[in-house]
């Protein structure tokens, strides 16, 4: 008679247990894949391939029903693929190979690359041949594949350590283990950490719209960091170019306007107020080029740390060899002017690297990137993590092969701080290398929450076809709301019919907290696809939204989708909503929709609106619509605002308008000795945006696609410098 343990073992093998609900979620994933693969097939399949595809789907259904999925116990808390686990269970792709008689291929992959993602096998000719003969694509195989269950209970994706933050050093002083991490920081506040550019209102809108604690997991915080990707950002150069002026003619028209303001800017570098000096330094760098290098270098000895920091950025903004020489010397000397002495600013090394990235984007020699790739890993230990983090930001500003290789190594180096690995993952978003996709997918199903978030954001911009499939799987298995929201947004960015259907299902029936994220993702999708199904779903959702917080998100989504039938709804919200957030985003939706009638509505509301946040939002909306006749109204709005961050946003909006008519007013505000120092500083910022060479607001572009929940206040400020 068998012992009790033997009997229990037989029962467990014969009837696989649902370990804390994870088996049910895996089954739901495979059921969704079956529906997707049944509803559409690759074009051009012959009868033999179609029959093989049907057999593969039947095998997948049997596998799902049996529910005996692969497990792993070698990577506690992570979701790692196992082609075949130690007890002989096959993953779904291996199961399809087995059912088609290809146990030889199963065994070879098990022996050689058992923990490979499908992305790792993208060059395996034998697997590719099998997929083709069975009527499947590589992207479909990536969608079928899941990581192995880690055997835990509760949520499928395991609890992560507390979110990492930048620490007290350059970026992080931790060893990447998560020990000692502190909670994610609140949105920046105070005179030195409110957004000073037009990139967003994340800090100021938090104060204006929410009286309680400000959480970074709200959808609208993501929008504020990313909205300039969808709004028309331009300075005078872009306005003239869009008006049909040749490049040479644009330069001839704009250079005199820059040169005549150089004396004003150089004089402002001696202003008693540090805010004015700092703003003038940025603008001088943008418009002065070679003539700006010497006065900006002198500012590296200014008594104010903020001025010295902005002088670094100004040197990068010159785009000149002289600016590069000063910044590279700082990098070589560990942030000091020479081998001896003190650091120019506490984080001089990473800030100099970011400034070099700005400069490379504005025309510095390509050798700058090679120098950064060489020097960043060699800086002294106290600045090393900051230098590596900044090198990844450089790669996002101005992609170079040497820096992509560095990011690839950093992303897989578990000895690096989480914040460095997250930045490296984000830097790999534009890479077409199979190894980059594998790194992103490893992080996507790893135990570290912040790395999952960064990988999700990077995959939204990836050129690799399998990215859509793995994002859908990640969204199904992810339990943390912000990470799931990032995955949904990335699916919207990628577009395509499968992403559309997935997002529509989440919007209609998914978790309540996902509704506004799915709405925004659908709007982003529709902006590129003009898909009528999306517009219809967003329009119909108004009366039946399950989450009240979704209303402004749906307004933005309809604006992104350019759905003119939503104009009346957006105008009504602007006029009658009790929520400043909803009124502000109704204004943004009207800007996205465009048209003279919507512009007139915004102008009329600007005169009556009492909320500073909403006034700043309307000013930015009018700047997007781009009518020079609105310049006086924007100046009126600027003077009525009391909050420094909102003033900065509105002054930058005057720059974004790209209108010569704004120059006299900005000049007057900048010169007024009896005026508010903060208002003068914002006027210099507006001049910098208006007269910038190339695209304005380069530094704020770093906030797009960045895992903002990871960073401390000083990094938030970096994202919103008006440069």
């Amino acid at each position: 008679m068998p012992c009790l343990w033997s009997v229990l073992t037989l029962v467990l093998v014969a009837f696989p247990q649902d370990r804390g609900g994870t088996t049910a979620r895996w089954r739901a994933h495979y059921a969704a894949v079956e529906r997707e693969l049944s509803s559409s097939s690759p074009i051009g399949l012959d009868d033999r391939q179609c029959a093989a595809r049907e057999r593969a789907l039947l095998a997948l259904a049997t596998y799902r029903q049996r529910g005996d999925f692969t497990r792993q116990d070698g990577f506690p808390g992570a979701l790692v693929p196992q082609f075949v686990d130690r007890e002989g269970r096959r993953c779904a792709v291996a199961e399809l190979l087995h059912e088609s008689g290809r146990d030889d291929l199963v065994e070879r992959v098990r022996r050689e690359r058992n923990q490979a993602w499908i992305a790792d096998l993208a060059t395996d000719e034998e697997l590719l041949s099998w997929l083709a003969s069975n009527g499947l694509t590589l992207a479909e195989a990536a969608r079928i594949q899941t990581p192995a269950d880690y055997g835990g209970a509760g949520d499928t994706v395991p609890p992560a350590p507390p979110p990492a933050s930048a620490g007290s050093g350059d970026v992080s002083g931790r060893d990447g283990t998560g020990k000692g991490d502190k909670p994610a920081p609140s949105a920046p506040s105070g005179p030195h950490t409110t957004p000073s550019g037009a990139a967003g209102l994340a800090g100021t809108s938090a104060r204006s719209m929410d009286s309680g604690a400000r959480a970074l997991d709200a959808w609208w915080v993501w929008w504020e960091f990313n909205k300039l990707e969808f709004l028309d950002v331009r300075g005078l150069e872009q306005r003239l170019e869009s008006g049909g002026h040749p490049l040479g003619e644009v330069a001839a028209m704009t250079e005199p306007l820059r040169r005549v303001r150089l004396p004003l800017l150089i004089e402002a570098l001696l202003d008693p107020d540090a805010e004015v000096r700092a703003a003038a330094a940025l603008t001088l760098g943008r418009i002065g080029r070679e003539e700006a290098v010497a006065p900006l270098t002198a500012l590296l000895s200014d008594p104010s740390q903020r001025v010295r920091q902005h002088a670094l950025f100004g040197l990068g903004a010159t785009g000149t060899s002289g600016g590069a020489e000063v910044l590279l010397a700082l990098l070589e000397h560990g942030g000091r002017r020479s081998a001896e002495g003190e650091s120019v600013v506490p984080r001089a090394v990473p800030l100099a690297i970011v400034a070099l990235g700005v400069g490379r984007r504005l025309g510095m020699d390509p050798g700058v990137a090679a120098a950064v790739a060489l020097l960043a890993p060699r800086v002294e230990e106290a600045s090393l993590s900051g230098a590596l983090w900044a090198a990844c930001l450089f790669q996002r500003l101005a992609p170079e092969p040497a820096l992509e290789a560095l990011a690839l190594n950093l992303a897989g180096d578990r000895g690096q701080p989480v914040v460095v690995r997250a930045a490296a993952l984000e830097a790999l978003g534009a890479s077409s290398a199979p190894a980059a996709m594998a790194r992103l997918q490893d992080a996507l199903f790893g135990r570290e929450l912040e790395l999952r978030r960064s990988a999700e954001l990077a995959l939204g911009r990836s050129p690799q076809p399998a990215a859509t499939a793995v994002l859908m799987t990640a969204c199904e298995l992810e339990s943390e709301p912000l990470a799931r929201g990032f995955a949904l947004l990335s699916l919207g960015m990628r577009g395509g019919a499968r992403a559309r259907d997935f997002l529509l299902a989440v919007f209609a029936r998914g978790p309540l907290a996902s509704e506004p994220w799915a709405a925004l993702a659908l709007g982003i999708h529709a902006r590129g696809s003009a898909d009528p199904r999306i517009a219809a779903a967003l329009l119909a959702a108004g009366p039946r939204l399950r989450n009240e917080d979704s209303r402004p998100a749906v307004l933005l989504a309809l604006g992104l989708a350019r759905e003119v039938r939503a104009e009346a709804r957006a105008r009504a919200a602007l006029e009658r909503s009790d929520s400043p957030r909803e009124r502000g985003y109704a204004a943004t939706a009207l800007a996205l929709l465009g048209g003279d009638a919507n512009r007139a509505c915004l102008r009329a509301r600007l005169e009556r609106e009492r909320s500073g946040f909403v006034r700043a939002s309307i000013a930015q909306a009018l700047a997007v619509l781009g009518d020079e006749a609105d310049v006086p109204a924007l100046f009126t709005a600027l003077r009525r605002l009391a909050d420094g961050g909102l003033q900065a946003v509105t002054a930058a909006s005057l720059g974004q308008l790209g209108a010569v008519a704004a120059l006299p007013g900005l000049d007057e505000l900048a010169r007024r000795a009896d005026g508010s120092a903060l208002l003068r500083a914002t006027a210099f910022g507006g001049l910098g945006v208006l007269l910038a060479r190339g695209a304005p607001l380069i530094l704020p572009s770093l906030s797009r696609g960045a895992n903002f929940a990871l960073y401390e206040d000083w990094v938030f400020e970096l994202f919103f410098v008006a440069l």
Side-chain angles (χ1 to χ4, degrees), residues 254-301:
T254 55
E255 281 305 315
L257 297 175
R258 296 187 182 103
R259 295 197 63 80
V260 77
R261 284 165 178 81
L262 289 179
L264 169 64
L265 291 165
I266 292 173
E267 180 184 353
L269 298 183
L270 302 174
D271 194 274
D273 189 90
E275 290 290 337
V276 174
R277 298 198 304 276
L282 288 177
T283 299
L284 179 62
R286 290 307 301 263
I287 75 174
R289 294 188 65 80
E290 291 85 357
E291 294 171 83
V293 173
L296 289 173
T297 303
L299 277 189
L300 296 178
S301 301

Side-chain angles (χ1 to χ4, degrees), residues 85-243:
D85 70 17
R86 66 175 57 194
E87 295 174 351
R89 300 180 188 87
R90 290 177 289 271
C91 78
V93 175
E95 181 71 9
L96 301 190
L97 285 162
H98 165 73
E99 288 296 325
S100 69
R102 292 303 310 272
D103 283 331
D104 61 319
L105 184 50
V106 173
E107 174 57 23
R108 178 173 67 77
V109 175
R110 183 202 66 77
R111 185 176 63 252
E112 297 176 357
R113 309 190 71 178
N114 198 44
Q115 293 163 11
W117 296 105
I118 291 298
D120 293 306
L121 303 172
T123 58
D124 189 312
E125 294 298 332
E126 198 173 5
L127 177 64
L128 294 175
S129 175
W130 177 84
L131 288 170
S133 65
N134 283 268
L136 297 168
T137 67
L138 191 70
E140 288 175 332
R143 177 69 173 128
I144 292 168
Q145 185 186 37
T146 64
D149 181 9
Y150 66 96
D155 290 332
T156 302
V157 175
S165 59
S168 58
D170 280 331
V171 173
S172 175
R174 291 185 304 279
D175 60 4
T177 62
K179 295 177 182 179
D181 288 349
K182 57 185 180 179
S186 63
S189 59
H192 295 301
T193 49
T194 46
S196 57
L201 305 169
T204 50
S205 63
R207 290 197 307 278
S208 302
M209 294 187 293
D210 292 305
S211 57
R214 286 163 283 157
L216 289 182
D217 59 358
W219 64 264
W220 57 269
V221 178
W222 176 88
W223 172 255
E224 292 300 337
F225 277 107
N226 289 267
K227 66 182 177 183
L228 288 191
E229 185 167 351
F230 312 105
L231 300 175
D232 188 10
V233 180
R234 60 184 177 272
L236 181 57
E237 276 194 354
Q238 288 70 38
R239 187 182 183 97
L240 292 172
E241 288 171 14
S242 64

Side-chain angles (χ1 to χ4, degrees), residues 380-418:
E380 56 196 40
E381 184 64 29
S383 299
L384 180 58
S385 62
L388 297 174
W389 170 81
C392 295
L393 268 62
F394 187 124
Q395 171 65 6
R396 292 182 54 216
L397 284 169
E400 299 282 351
L403 288 167
E404 180 177 321
L406 176 63
L408 191 61
N409 289 331
L410 292 173
D413 184 352
R414 296 181 182 274
Q416 294 295 336
V418 170

Side-chain angles (χ1 to χ4, degrees), residues 60 125 143 261 274 298 300 315 371 379 441 489 531 535 576:
L60 183 60
E125 294 298 332
R143 177 69 173 128
R261 284 165 178 81
L300 296 178
L315 286 164
V379 303
Q441 204 165 352
L489 291 166
D531 193 309
R576 296 195 290 271

